Amino acid sequence: MPILHRLAAAGTALSVAAVLLATPALGDPPAPVDESLLVPTTLDSSFAFTCRERPTGPVCTGDRHIDTGWAPLDLPCHVPLHGRYVSDRHTTRYYDHDYLGYYRTFRTDDVDQLSTSPGGPTTGTIESRTRFVEPYAVPGDDSTVTIITTGTIWDIRTVGRPSIFRAVGTVVEPPGEAGTFTGRVFRDGVPTRYEDAGLEVVLPEDDFFDHVCRAATGT
């Protein structure tokens, strides 16, 4: 074999070896993420996060479970009410190579349990089962996040009965602005369609209190 051919072959072999050494073997665990460098950080969150390096940057997944137990509620009902909040949430946060957050997703299953007795049983509920996404206009800056929530926004009912009030659709909350709702609302089973309506129009505060009192007392 001519010497130039041998040198070329040796060079090719060395190049392949270098690539193999530089490329992680399949099955190697992702590199660890220094969560203290993430913006926004995961370290001060109520979620328990696990973070992994990905080709696009760190990806962190977290879960949170809350059960407040029963406590008195300060609501304008004709009888005292007690409430218990139970929430299960899962979230994924996406960061770029500069460790700046640029996108978040959530999956929620939240229930406010209502009762006319201090320790239950539950006589009424306010349920919210949604998915929402939070894209950043400026990576790493929470003040530039738009919150887009889709699913059952509110479902207020007496246990074992049809909904008193139910809103199903999408809420969009731009940074620093009040949210708007697009979807269908059912009041005692009667549907109404809304397009980009203010939340105070969809569910005024006085109506909310009335629905909650009805749900808890069964009246």
Side-chain angles (χ1 to χ4, degrees), residues 120-182:
T122 302
T123 53
T125 57
I126 309 168
E127 298 184 6
S128 177
R129 291 185 169 87
T130 65
R131 294 176 182 269
F132 57 98
V133 298
E134 297 182 351
Y136 286 74
V138 178
D141 187 348
D142 271 343
S143 69
T144 68
V145 166
T146 295
I147 304 172
I148 305 169
T149 306
T150 302
T152 301
I153 312 301
W154 297 288
D155 187 340
I156 305 173
R157 65 174 68 205
T158 300
V159 171
R161 297 186 188 178
S163 298
I164 295 170
F165 179 93
R166 187 167 184 256
V168 180
T170 300
V171 174
V172 179
E173 301 170 81
E177 299 180 24
T180 58
F181 172 82
T182 297

Side-chain angles (χ1 to χ4, degrees), residues 8-212:
T12 301
L14 289 173
S15 298
V16 172
V19 170
L20 290 175
L21 288 172
T23 304
L26 292 177
D28 281 357
V33 174
D34 185 348
E35 295 183 46
S36 68
L37 300 178
L38 297 174
V39 181
T41 183
T42 56
L43 298 178
D44 60 0
S45 172
S46 59
F47 286 78
F49 278 99
T50 299
C51 298
R52 296 286 185 269
E53 284 285 359
R54 295 290 184 255
T56 56
V59 175
C60 300
T61 58
D63 294 282
R64 187 197 72 184
H65 175 73
I66 293 175
D67 186 339
T68 63
W70 291 98
L73 295 177
D74 184 16
L75 294 175
C77 302
H78 66 277
V79 297
L81 294 187
H82 296 77
R84 175 186 180 190
Y85 177 62
V86 179
S87 171
D88 289 292
R89 295 192 173 197
H90 176 82
T91 184
T92 302
R93 295 185 179 186
Y94 299 86
Y95 295 84
D96 61 22
H97 291 295
D98 294 322
Y99 277 34
L100 300 177
Y102 64 89
Y103 195 74
R104 290 192 296 233
T105 67
F106 289 84
R107 184 175 67 248
T108 72
D109 186 352
D110 300 341
V111 182
D112 283 287
Q113 300 175 9
L114 309 168
S115 180
T116 54
S117 300
T122 302
T123 53
T125 57
I126 309 168
E127 298 184 6
S128 177
R129 291 185 169 87
T130 65
R131 294 176 182 269
F132 57 98
V133 298
E134 297 182 351
Y136 286 74
V138 178
D141 187 348
D142 271 343
S143 69
T144 68
V145 166
T146 295
I147 304 172
I148 305 169
T149 306
T150 302
T152 301
I153 312 301
W154 297 288
D155 187 340
I156 305 173
R157 65 174 68 205
T158 300
V159 171
R161 297 186 188 178
S163 298
I164 295 170
F165 179 93
R166 187 167 184 256
V168 180
T170 300
V171 174
V172 179
E173 301 170 81
E177 299 180 24
T180 58
F181 172 82
T182 297
R184 300 180 75 189
V185 168
F186 300 84
R187 294 179 176 85
D188 291 314
V190 179
T192 303
R193 175 75 184 178
Y194 289 91
E195 292 284 345
D196 295 326
L199 298 181
E200 74 284 355
V201 174
V202 176
L203 184 55
E205 185 177 86
D206 288 345
D207 289 357
F208 173 76
F209 290 144
D210 178 65
H211 298 332
V212 170

